[in-house]
Amino acid sequence: MGADAIQTNGHDQAKLTGGEEIQRLRCFVKNYEWGKLGPESLVARLQEANTGQRVDSEIPYAEFWMGTHESGPSHVEFGSGHGVSDKCMVTLKSWVLDNPNLLGSKVVDKWGCDLPFLFKVLSVTKALSIQAHPNKALAEKLHREDPLLYRDNNHKPEIALAVTPFQALCGFVTLKELKEVITNVPEITELVGSKAADQIFNVHEHDEDERIKSVVRLIFTQLMSASNNETKQVVSRMKNRLLLETKHRELSEKEKLVLELEKQYTGDIGVISAFFFNYVKLNPGDALYLDANEPHAYISGDCVECMAASDNVVRAGLTPKHGDVQTLCSMLTYKLGYPEILKGFPLTPYVTRYLPPFDEFEVDHCDLPRGKSTVFPAVPGPSVYLVIEGKGQLRTGSSKVLVNRGDVLFVPADIEIHVTGESDVMKLYRAGVSSRFFQTL
């Protein structure tokens, strides 16, 4: 991008430069209190490399956002100089709005002049809230009724791809496990009452799905609706009981987790409700996908996350933020059983694809050794590339871009990308519109 392209007006700049093939993005960071501190955070290291901002060792760096969402917009940087006067910044959203051809006609026809996905990196050291994301109909209703809390009207299916060992709570455990929970965690019965708790023993695996779900919904809603004072007392008693039992037996992994959560969120209803959820441990390269209305809480680790372009979250438990217990408990599917873990499938010797059952997005992971090359074929929609580690180059038919850790690049529709590694290993992730979407048109 030459200096002759620089204009004083951002929109003029974007229109003049709309034909460029690859553009670097400057990205937005969220400093939520659950993020890892300072340089321990992958997000912090990416931000420093991406923007040049120095890392503060006392600040949590939680989320690195790549996309057009108004809550954390990325910017396109034009200009090749090193001084502020040599460069011009416009939001990615305004740039694609002025240049819809960058998105491809099929994407514009379906989602308008906007990126349909939001790409993130998360660095988690303290549990996130127990939460779920609404489907499209509920998102529209929540946004209409409380636009300050629910900022947009879109659904938010998502995928979390582990970069480091990653832990999460996700979905309800099986009926058999729930019966064991009610039996072995008497504090739940203290909070919901024996009349509600005992109903779990009146349903069986062969019963109708809706009958089982209605009982789980009843018990979980009663639990989450317990008063704050009673919850604090009961959680404290549970903690003391478990600490006493450590003298006589080895606690289960879930019990150890619950004690850790109690340290983070003392007296919180989310501590005891964790017994209801699957404790999921992902190895690097494993991915967890979450449809609308499925409960989850990330616990620790670093992940790449991709989702439909939304920031809608319904929370209840393990959070100082606003909780909406009634909405959360009424929206959940109450589907029981362990979630599906995606391992991805190979596209080339160096590229693995993760393809959840959603139109808006897919994620590719590329590990490229020094001197090796691979090709990302042209697709009819936009892509965002992120380099997490190492260095290399991206080439198109008419340009070459050198990339290092922290570089984020927007690639328009119908552009083939050749990637070559120039370090021991270059780790790169690509987010794009689901290839299934284009195949079904």
Side-chain angles (χ1 to χ4, degrees), residues 46-202:
L46 290 174
Q47 183 195 35
E48 184 172 51
N50 181 263
T51 67
Q53 296 181 31
R54 295 189 63 180
V55 174
D56 187 326
S57 60
E58 297 183 0
I59 290 179
Y61 295 81
E63 296 187 354
F64 185 81
W65 285 37
M66 298 162 281
T68 57
H69 198 281
E70 63 179 11
S71 295
S74 297
H75 287 73
V76 184
E77 183 180 89
F78 301 99
S80 57
H82 296 288
V84 174
S85 61
D86 296 326
K87 296 184 180 180
C88 175
M89 302 271 277
V90 298
T91 65
L92 177 59
K93 184 161 187 172
S94 67
W95 187 51
V96 298
L97 192 63
D98 286 342
N99 301 278
N101 59 298
L102 300 170
L103 301 173
S105 60
K106 294 172 182 176
V107 171
V108 173
D109 289 346
K110 173 74 171 179
W111 291 288
C113 295
D114 204 356
L115 208 60
F117 58 85
L118 176 58
F119 200 21
K120 297 182 182 179
V121 177
L122 274 62
S123 289
V124 182
T125 195
K126 180 180 178 182
L128 279 68
S129 59
I130 293 171
Q131 60 185 253
H133 307 300
N135 60 24
K136 182 68 172 168
L138 180 58
E140 290 173 349
K141 177 177 181 289
L142 294 173
H143 178 64
R144 187 169 58 248
E145 294 175 352
D146 193 347
L148 292 179
L149 183 60
Y150 301 104
R151 300 287 297 275
D152 58 74
N153 64 356
N154 202 14
H155 67 163
K156 192 188 175 189
E158 64 187 26
I159 184 172
L161 172 55
V163 176
T164 63
F166 193 80
Q167 299 182 26
L169 295 170
C170 180
F172 289 94
V173 298
T174 64
L175 180 59
K176 178 177 181 290
E177 290 172 289
L178 272 178
K179 290 180 178 182
E180 293 172 356
V181 165
I182 300 300
T183 300
N184 297 327
V185 188
E187 293 82 7
I188 293 174
T189 300
E190 283 188 60
L191 285 173
V192 306
S194 57
K195 183 178 179 181
D198 289 348
Q199 288 197 38
I200 199 73
F201 302 107
N202 297 326

Side-chain angles (χ1 to χ4, degrees), residues 14 56 117 188 203-204 275 291 310 318 331 358 360 413:
D56 187 326
F117 58 85
I188 293 174
V203 292
H204 307 281
F275 281 110
D291 209 340
S310 172
L318 303 182
M331 71 189 278
F358 316 119
E360 286 90 346

Side-chain angles (χ1 to χ4, degrees), residues 299-435:
I299 296 169
S300 66
D302 301 308
C303 76
V304 167
E305 192 181 40
C306 197
M307 64 208 69
S310 172
D311 194 31
N312 283 325
V313 181
V314 182
R315 301 178 180 88
L318 303 182
T319 180
K321 295 181 180 179
H322 172 80
D324 193 342
V325 172
Q326 183 177 357
T327 299
L328 182 80
C329 292
S330 64
M331 71 189 278
L332 298 180
T333 66
Y334 294 95
K335 183 170 67 177
L336 306 185
Y338 200 79
E340 182 182 358
I341 305 301
L342 299 181
K343 300 291 187 178
F345 57 91
L347 291 182
T348 76
Y350 307 112
V351 179
T352 302
R353 172 159 293 172
Y354 299 83
L355 191 61
F358 316 119
D359 283 350
E360 286 90 346
F361 60 89
E362 65 188 17
V363 177
D364 295 336
H365 172 210
C366 176
D367 278 351
L368 205 54
R370 185 189 304 274
K372 299 296 183 180
S373 297
T374 194
V375 177
F376 289 87
V379 293
S383 299
V384 174
Y385 288 76
L386 163 69
V387 181
I388 275 189
E389 184 181 319
K391 62 181 181 178
Q393 61 175 262
L394 273 64
R395 289 180 292 110
T396 69
S398 60
S399 63
K400 180 174 73 173
V401 178
L402 300 178
V403 293
N404 292 279
R405 183 181 69 184
D407 281 338
V408 181
L409 301 121
F410 178 89
V411 175
D414 303 312
I415 302 294
E416 183 176 270
I417 297 291
H418 296 251
V419 186
T420 302
E422 296 183 350
S423 56
D424 289 343
V425 176
M426 181 174 74
K427 290 185 178 292
L428 176 146
Y429 293 84
R430 169 194 164 267
V433 176
S434 173
S435 50

